[in-house]
Amino acid sequence: MNMSELNISEPAVFQATFAQALADETAAVEMFADPAIARALAVHRNTSAKAAHDALAANYPVLRTLVSEDSFAGCAQAFVASHPPRDPRLCLYGEDLAAFVAAYGPFSQAPYLADVATLERLVTEALFAADAEPLDGAGFARALDLDLALTLHPTVRFTTVASPAASIWLAHQPGAPPDALERLVWIDEALVVSRPGMAVQVAAIDSSTLVFLKACQSGATVAGAALAAAALGADVSALVATLITAGAFRAGLDLTLARKT
Amino acid sequence: MDMTAGLGFKTEHLEEALTSRAAGLWFEVHAENYMVEGGPRLAALLALRERRPISLHGVGLSIASVEPPAPEHLARLKTLADRIEPAAVSDHLAWQRWEGGHHADFLPFPRTEAALDIVVRNVDQVQVTLKRPLLVENPSLYADLPGHEMGEAEFLTQLAQRTGCGLLIDVNNIFVSAANLGFKADARIDAIAGELVGEIHLAGHSKDSDPASPLLIDSHDAGVSDAVWALYRRLIARIGPRPTLIERDDQIPAFDVLMAERDIAQSIMIEGDDRYEYV
């Protein structure tokens, strides 16, 4: 059977009407005179809104803790209304929440909330990104050739934020020191997110480490990346050791294949 | 029968799921939660599939949509199914997709001949792509719609006959729909074409907050009710044992609590109605 043989007009009209009634409670009353259908529409609205809210709550746990349950629910509700899910994979829902939070009036006195949301999105991306063997110290030493390029691990994400969002996030993880929030230093942070195994790691990094990662990402050789970081006064061997501990690079063939000619 | 009573898999129960020695135990997951490139959740499922049969239960195919299944979503389901080699793949007789948006619920539609043609086309497309049969589940209904040309059981039977798909009968959804729409659940259970049933779902429901005329909501946040167990016994007595899932998606209790419910279903299937006086 092909599309041209199907009579889609009546089902299409129904679905268009029902979708509009779901989106607009007032319109729903005119479209479906039966109060039972209005109630059914309300059930469907509630169920899908709860699913979207729960997905955001799961993906932004630190933001939720920072603002309290009710404030988070209000923000989530507004976000869902303006950015409804488009993908059935709700485990990935909320890509644009950080930008939304940055412009969300009730949170305007706390601009760091958008930064925490930015970081939590990177954590979600790292969590579900492709698995790969990370490059370890021995592998790095074995393959060390300054003309090689290091390939970033597929889970690695990094950015800079205008608040100590990484430190705030770390302070909310299990096992964080109880006084971590009190010791917070209110500075801009660069941060790297990685998942060398099954656990996501977040670290605040200095500007030279960020420069090194950016250089690697754009395909620079080890020598090129090291020079860029050293220009900022970095101890390059310590910097590389930190990144290897974070599992920031990919092991194996890629290292060789990335050789610059 | 290899698969008897199973549980919805929760990653926090991985160790217990891997080490359980229960005969016939199997697990079901929401396929969409595993349509990702890697990470701990997918790794847990890959570990579990080495020990137990896995059923992939979709919540996003939208097979009652006027549009054909979303190609990228279907491709992801195919990738996952090829990786997991599931014992079953299922989704709902409902639609979620409209103009690129995804309503995260199972939306109803008038069961007309025209709608049947569309669902047949969509199920055909899913099965051709997956190279696997689909089990189609009856959703919970909250109001009667105008314009039905056939009952749900008849619609599902025709769909199965025309596409070769099987049926996933959610007994709780029948109970919830019967209460909300005012039909007899017993009669609906008896109208199911038993030979088409490949899987059964059991779950808990709740009442909504309108005290005047409460609707039952398919909330999956509680144990299976006595009335639903009674309907399940009635169905099994007529059609024989089928892989049966205890579904719980909210207020998740300990693994043992879920296993105790699962063991009731197991007993009803294996030992027959008379031996069990638990509920």
Side-chain angles (χ1 to χ4, degrees):
Chain A
M1 185 185 308
N2 64 42
M3 196 77 181
S4 62
E5 293 172 70
L6 289 175
N7 168 18
I8 66 160
S9 60
E10 281 188 22
V13 166
F14 173 81
Q15 286 177 22
T17 309
F18 204 82
Q20 199 186 336
L22 278 172
D24 182 348
E25 235 168 296
T26 320
V29 178
E30 292 165 23
M31 290 169 180
F32 295 101
D34 182 352
I37 295 179
R39 287 199 61 201
L41 283 161
V43 171
H44 291 300
R45 263 184 227 114
N46 285 345
T47 304
S48 56
K50 179 178 187 309
H53 168 275
D54 289 355
L56 292 174
N59 287 343
Y60 294 91
V62 176
L63 176 65
R64 186 176 159 211
T65 304
L66 288 169
V67 301
S68 87
E69 200 68 50
D70 287 351
S71 299
F72 183 83
C75 177
Q77 190 180 17
F79 177 76
V80 173
S82 61
H83 299 69
R86 302 184 68 79
D87 188 325
R89 297 176 298 169
L90 290 181
C91 61
L92 302 176
Y93 179 52
E95 184 175 7
D96 304 316
L97 187 66
F100 182 85
V101 165
Y104 183 60
F107 293 169
S108 61
Q109 298 305 306
Y112 62 93
L113 293 173
D115 296 334
V116 171
T118 296
L119 168 54
E120 292 203 287
R121 180 63 194 178
L122 300 183
V123 169
T124 297
E125 289 180 13
L127 188 65
F128 294 123
D131 301 316
E133 190 66 34
L135 180 69
D136 61 15
F140 181 71
R142 205 161 46 239
L144 187 57
D145 177 336
L146 293 179
D147 294 330
L148 286 177
L150 291 164
T151 307
L152 293 182
H153 193 272
T155 62
V156 162
R157 306 288 186 275
F158 50 84
T159 193
T160 49
V161 287
S163 66
S167 299
I168 293 170
W169 188 90
L170 288 165
H172 285 86
Q173 300 311 303
D179 61 344
L181 278 177
E182 291 156 35
R183 294 197 328 225
L184 210 60
V185 182
W186 211 263
I187 51 166
D188 297 1
E189 279 184 344
L191 57 92
V192 61
V193 180
S194 59
R195 184 177 57 76
M198 287 298 140
V200 173
Q201 299 178 15
V202 170
I205 53 177
D206 59 26
S207 56
S208 53
T209 307
L210 182 74
V211 161
F212 190 90
L213 282 170
K214 281 182 177 167
C216 292
Q217 187 179 48
S218 58
T221 60
V222 173
L227 278 173
L232 296 176
D235 173 350
V236 176
S237 60
L239 178 161
V240 169
T242 304
L243 287 175
I244 284 179
T245 303
F249 308 110
R250 188 174 186 146
L253 279 178
D254 305 78
L255 193 71
T256 318
L257 290 172
R259 175 184 284 277
K260 296 286 156 177
T261 52
Chain B
M1 185 164 76
D2 292 328
M3 294 163 67
T4 54
L7 285 183
F9 171 60
K10 305 296 163 200
T11 45
E12 62 263 40
H13 295 154
L14 176 63
E15 279 312 306
E16 292 149 299
L18 286 173
T19 53
S20 169
R21 300 171 63 91
L25 176 64
W26 54 281
F27 291 95
E28 184 162 285
V29 295
H30 285 177
E32 285 72 13
N33 287 340
Y34 297 84
M35 292 180 183
V36 293
E37 290 187 73
R41 192 185 281 177
L42 191 59
L45 187 62
L46 288 166
L48 192 58
R49 74 173 284 284
E50 299 295 322
R51 306 279 182 92
R52 294 288 180 176
I54 301 292
S55 157
L56 294 179
H57 187 50
V59 296
L61 270 178
S62 198
I63 56 169
S65 271
V66 174
E67 310 159 75
E72 66 283 1
H73 187 72
L74 192 48
R76 286 189 199 105
L77 181 58
K78 162 86 173 145
T79 301
L80 182 65
D82 288 348
R83 206 163 174 184
I84 300 298
E85 298 179 305
V89 181
S90 54
D91 209 308
H92 302 76
L93 182 65
W95 58 288
Q96 295 94 25
R97 199 154 50 89
W98 181 255
E99 293 186 337
H102 172 78
H103 289 281
D105 196 9
F106 306 115
L107 302 178
F109 61 95
R111 291 180 299 266
T112 60
E113 294 288 349
L116 179 59
D117 288 345
I118 289 167
V119 181
V120 165
R121 177 205 61 192
N122 291 349
V123 170
D124 276 341
Q125 199 172 329
V126 170
Q127 296 186 135
V128 164
T129 304
L130 296 183
K131 299 188 174 67
R132 295 168 188 279
L134 188 68
L135 299 177
V136 176
E137 175 178 347
N138 58 299
S140 282
L141 303 173
Y142 298 100
D144 213 358
L145 296 176
H148 289 308
E149 294 170 5
M150 62 190 102
E152 189 177 64
E154 185 192 348
F155 192 97
L156 285 168
T157 300
Q158 287 206 35
L159 175 65
Q161 286 169 346
R162 285 174 58 180
T163 63
C165 77
L167 303 184
L168 193 176
I169 295 302
D170 189 314
V171 177
N172 182 60
N173 288 354
I174 290 179
F175 180 79
V176 165
S177 302
N180 292 339
L181 275 60
F183 63 78
K184 292 233 180 307
D186 282 4
R188 184 61 57 88
I189 288 284
D190 294 348
I192 292 160
E195 70 281 4
L196 300 175
V197 178
E199 184 181 333
I200 297 172
H201 274 183
L202 299 172
H205 54 260
S206 56
K207 273 188 184 151
D208 82 349
S209 53
D210 184 341
S213 57
L215 283 174
L216 295 188
I217 311 292
D218 177 33
S219 48
H220 295 189
D221 59 354
V224 177
S225 73
D226 290 357
V228 170
W229 281 121
L231 290 172
Y232 176 65
R233 283 202 179 86
R234 184 182 181 98
L235 180 61
I236 294 297
R238 181 170 66 84
I239 73 170
R242 294 304 146 87
T244 299
L245 184 84
I246 304 294
E247 272 189 306
R248 181 70 79 91
D249 297 310
D250 210 346
Q251 310 288 331
I252 312 280
F255 185 75
D256 291 345
V257 174
L258 293 173
M259 280 300 286
E261 270 201 304
R262 175 261 174 203
D263 291 345
I264 299 173
Q266 177 96 340
S267 299
I268 291 170
M269 265 191 282
I270 305 293
E271 299 168 20
D273 213 2
D274 315 338
R275 298 270 309 269
Y276 220 88
E277 295 178 356
Y278 190 91
V279 293

